[in-house]
Amino acid sequence: MKNPYLQLFNSQKENQFNIGNTNYKQRIKKLKTLKVALEKTYKQDIREALYADFKKPYIETDLTELYLVIKEIKVAISNLKSWMRNKHVGTPLALLGTTSWIKYEPKGVCLIISPWNYPVNLTFCPLVSAIAAGNTVILKPSEMTPNTSRVMAKIVKDVFNENEIALVEGDVEVSKHLLKLPFNHIFFTGSPAVGKIIMEAASKHLASVTLELGGKSPTIVDETANVQTAVKSIVWGKYLNTGQTCIAPDYVLVHESKKEAFIEAFKMTMDNYYSKKPEKSKSFGRVVNEKHFKRLTGYIEAAKEDKAIIHKGGNYNANDNYIEPTLISKIPERNPLLNEEIFGPILPIKTYKNLNEVVSYINSKARPLALYMYSKSKKNTNYVIKNTRSGGTCINSTEIHFTNHELPFGGINNSGIGKSHSYFGFKAFSNERAVLKSYWSAPLKVLFPPYTNFKQKVVDFTIKWL
C-alpha cells in the first residue's frame, strides 16, 4: 500500500534546497508572518480551542502557549543573522596554508510530532527553530486536542506553502505512516515509552532525533527552606495546566522537620489559588480526556487502598474529567504514584532525614527532565547538584528555566536526547558542516608517499611539537 504522505514528503524533499538556500532576511519574514498570526489573527481562536479541549484558562494560554512561542520568534529574529554566519576556527601549525570554518546548513526534511498538553507551544516552538535553520517541515500534532489542532492547521495553511511547511491531523496511524518516511530529522515531544518507538523508527533511516520526554521530576524542600515561599511556588508549578506539564514537580521530598508546616501551607495556598471549591474556579482546568482521567483516579484509589493519607483533595467528577488538586503522603513504594510519571493534579510527598537519603532515592530512578530544590543552604544545593543528574534544575523555583531562552532545554537519557530553544533549537535542526580550504599545499606534500626516513622524522617532529 502506498504511503498516503509520500507525495507531500517528496514535494518538500524536492523543495528543500530552495528553502535551505534562503538568507536570514527571507527566513525572518516568514517568522514575522507567523508571529502576527499567533499574536493577532488567531489569538482568540487559540484561546477558545484550548478551553474547548480541556478548559485551559485564557491567562494560562496566553502565558504558557502564546507568549513562549512569540518570545521564541523574537529571539530568532534578533539573532538569526549571527546564528547563520560561518564560524571561523583556528588553524594548527600542521595545517599551515589552510583556513577552516563551520557552516550551519539545514538538515533537510523534518518531522515534528507534538503532544496535547501544550499543543501550540510544543508545535510552534520547534517549528520556529526549524524555519530559522532553513528546513522544510511536516507537523503532526496530537489528536487528543482536536480543536486546537484544527486552528493550528488553519494557521499553517494560511502562512506557508505546503511544499515548505505542512500540518497533518489524525491519530496514531497517521504517525505510523509518517515514521516510515526517510526524514532527515525528527523532533518528538512526549513520553519516554513513545520516544523509544520514535528512535527505533528513525534508526531505520539513520535520521537524527531530538526527543523531549519526561519522567518523575523531584522537588526537594530542605530544613533551611522558607516553607511558605516554597509551597506557593510548588503549588503553582504543580497545578499549572492541571498538572499536565512534563516539567511539573512529580513528587516532593520534604525534610521531616518541615512536613507539618508544608502541609498546612499547602492547604492555605490551594484555597487562595483555586478557592475552597476548585471545580468552580476559573483558574483550574480539566484532565484532557477520559483515558487520562481514569488513569489518574486509579492512582488515587490505589493510594486509598494502600491506606495513604490524603491531606487535601482526592475528589473527582467523571462527567467533567475533573480531579481536585490533591496532596498525598504515606504512600508505599510499590504504588504507581511513586513509580509512574503522574502528569496530573496529584502530588505525593515523602519525608527524609538527611540529603544522602534524597540523593540515593533520586538516583534509584531514571534521570529526570527537571529537578527542583528549595533551600537557603549553598552547601546543600551544591551537594544535590553535584551528586544527581537531570535535564534542568531550578533553585527556589519551579519550571521557569523553560522560559529563559538563553538556556538549553531538554532531558538526559530517559528524559530526552538533544536540546531546544533559541540557538540550541537552531543547532538541533542544523548540520554543523566542517569546511576546510587549502591555499598552499606544500607542507602536506611532504607527507605524501613514497615514505622515507626523512618523512618519518617529519612525522615524529609533528607528533612531538605540533
Side-chain angles (χ1 to χ4, degrees):
M1 178 180 175
K2 186 177 180 181
N3 192 310
Y5 303 104
L6 180 61
Q7 184 175 345
L8 174 60
F9 175 86
N10 284 337
S11 70
Q12 292 200 356
K13 184 177 180 180
E14 291 170 5
N15 194 36
Q16 64 175 310
F17 285 96
N18 293 327
I19 302 302
N21 288 325
T22 53
N23 59 39
Y24 76 93
K25 291 182 180 179
Q26 293 168 305
R27 297 179 193 180
I28 285 174
K29 183 178 180 180
K30 296 172 191 174
L31 292 173
K32 286 182 176 179
T33 305
L34 178 60
K35 178 174 174 287
V36 170
L38 295 170
E39 197 171 26
K40 297 179 180 178
T41 313
Y42 290 94
K43 179 179 180 179
Q44 188 60 25
D45 292 336
I46 290 169
R47 286 170 154 185
E48 292 173 2
L50 280 161
Y51 189 83
D53 281 329
F54 53 111
K55 291 191 176 180
K56 184 158 185 166
Y58 281 7
I59 289 179
E60 284 193 9
T61 292
D62 290 352
L63 285 175
T64 65
E65 303 274 7
L66 294 170
Y67 165 71
L68 291 173
V69 181
I70 291 166
K71 179 65 175 178
E72 188 84 14
I73 292 172
K74 289 179 179 178
V75 172
I77 288 172
S78 298
N79 294 282
L80 188 54
K81 182 179 180 180
S82 171
W83 294 349
M84 290 178 64
R85 188 178 293 128
N86 290 340
K87 304 296 190 294
H88 286 269
V89 298
T91 300
L93 285 175
L95 294 176
L96 191 66
T98 70
T99 185
S100 303
W101 64 92
I102 300 167
K103 175 180 172 59
Y104 290 97
E105 61 185 17
K107 287 189 172 178
V109 189
C110 301
L111 172 64
I112 296 173
I113 301 178
S114 56
W116 53 265
N117 60 324
Y118 291 93
V120 175
N121 178 345
L122 299 177
T123 299
F124 287 124
C125 274
L127 177 62
V128 170
S129 296
I131 292 169
N135 298 278
T136 62
V137 184
I138 295 177
L139 301 163
K140 166 57 179 74
S142 173
E143 69 277 11
M144 293 187 191
T145 46
N147 295 290
T148 308
S149 291
R150 279 194 289 272
V151 174
M152 291 193 293
K154 289 179 183 178
I155 294 171
V156 170
K157 190 173 183 179
D158 184 21
V159 174
F160 304 103
N161 293 321
E162 192 176 63
N163 66 351
E164 179 183 0
I165 312 290
L167 185 148
V168 296
E169 298 177 74
D171 59 15
V172 67
E173 292 302 314
V174 173
S175 296
K176 287 179 180 178
H177 286 304
L178 290 169
L179 288 169
K180 292 177 182 177
L181 297 170
F183 287 95
N184 300 110
H185 186 75
I186 300 175
F187 190 109
F188 169 77
T189 306
S191 70
V194 180
K196 293 174 184 177
I197 295 171
I198 301 295
M199 197 169 184
E200 182 179 4
S203 70
K204 293 177 181 177
H205 304 289
L206 294 179
S208 57
V209 296
T210 303
L211 304 177
E212 300 285 9
L213 307 177
K216 297 187 72 62
S217 296
T219 301
I220 304 161
V221 180
D222 79 1
E223 68 277 12
T224 72
N226 182 317
V227 174
Q228 295 287 339
T229 302
V231 168
K232 289 177 182 178
S233 173
I234 292 167
V235 170
W236 170 78
K238 175 62 183 180
Y239 299 104
L240 181 73
N241 205 42
T242 324
Q244 299 164 125
T245 303
C246 59
I247 52 173
D250 196 87
Y251 60 97
V252 176
L253 298 165
V254 59
H255 191 270
E256 59 183 7
S257 66
K258 299 288 187 178
K259 179 185 176 182
E260 295 307 318
F262 182 95
I263 292 170
E264 289 307 309
F266 182 93
K267 292 177 180 177
M268 187 180 299
T269 302
M270 286 300 309
D271 290 346
N272 289 338
Y273 285 6
Y274 305 114
S275 81
K276 292 184 182 295
K277 294 183 178 180
E279 191 170 5
K280 298 184 182 299
S281 171
K282 293 182 179 179
S283 300
F284 190 71
R286 296 296 182 266
V287 175
V288 69
N289 58 24
E290 183 182 6
K291 175 184 174 183
H292 284 281
F293 173 83
K294 287 182 175 179
R295 175 181 63 83
L296 291 164
T297 54
Y299 291 169
I300 293 174
E301 292 306 315
K304 289 178 180 178
E305 290 177 9
D306 285 332
K307 301 197 178 338
I309 299 174
I310 297 178
H311 300 279
K312 182 75 171 174
N315 301 309
Y316 48 85
N317 182 353
N319 294 327
D320 198 26
N321 290 336
Y322 165 76
I323 298 177
E324 187 177 4
T326 301
L327 181 70
I328 304 181
S329 70
K330 300 288 186 182
I331 306 167
E333 281 301 318
R334 67 177 182 277
N335 190 284
L337 284 170
L338 295 179
N339 293 284
E340 305 292 333
E341 182 179 10
I342 297 170
F343 223 71
I346 308 166
L347 183 63
I349 60 169
K350 289 172 61 68
T351 59
Y352 73 91
K353 293 182 179 180
N354 60 70
L355 282 178
N356 290 332
E357 294 176 48
V358 170
V359 166
S360 295
Y361 188 78
I362 291 171
N363 289 339
S364 72
K365 300 181 181 297
R367 291 175 171 180
L369 183 56
L371 182 151
Y372 306 116
M373 183 162 184
Y374 292 83
S375 175
K376 294 178 182 177
S377 168
K378 186 176 181 180
K379 178 183 177 182
N380 286 357
T381 55
N382 285 343
Y383 176 79
V384 170
I385 290 173
K386 287 179 179 179
N387 290 285
T388 60
R389 297 290 181 268
S390 67
T393 293
C394 288
I395 300 167
N396 296 323
S397 187
T398 61
E399 300 188 10
I400 60 173
H401 64 298
F402 184 92
T403 69
N404 186 345
H405 288 75
E406 298 300 316
L407 289 172
F409 179 78
I412 176 173
N413 300 128
N414 191 71
S415 57
I417 296 173
K419 304 297 179 182
S420 63
H421 286 184
S422 62
Y423 180 58
F424 307 98
F426 172 81
K427 287 183 69 176
F429 283 96
S430 298
N431 173 46
E432 295 174 88
R433 187 172 186 170
V435 183
L436 182 147
K437 183 175 182 179
S438 179
Y439 297 95
W440 178 42
S441 61
L444 291 176
K445 287 181 179 178
V446 175
L447 302 178
F448 291 169
Y451 300 131
T452 64
N453 290 334
F454 171 74
K455 291 179 180 180
Q456 181 63 59
K457 290 179 181 179
V458 171
V459 170
D460 293 341
F461 178 86
T462 301
I463 293 171
K464 185 172 182 179
W465 300 107
L466 302 183

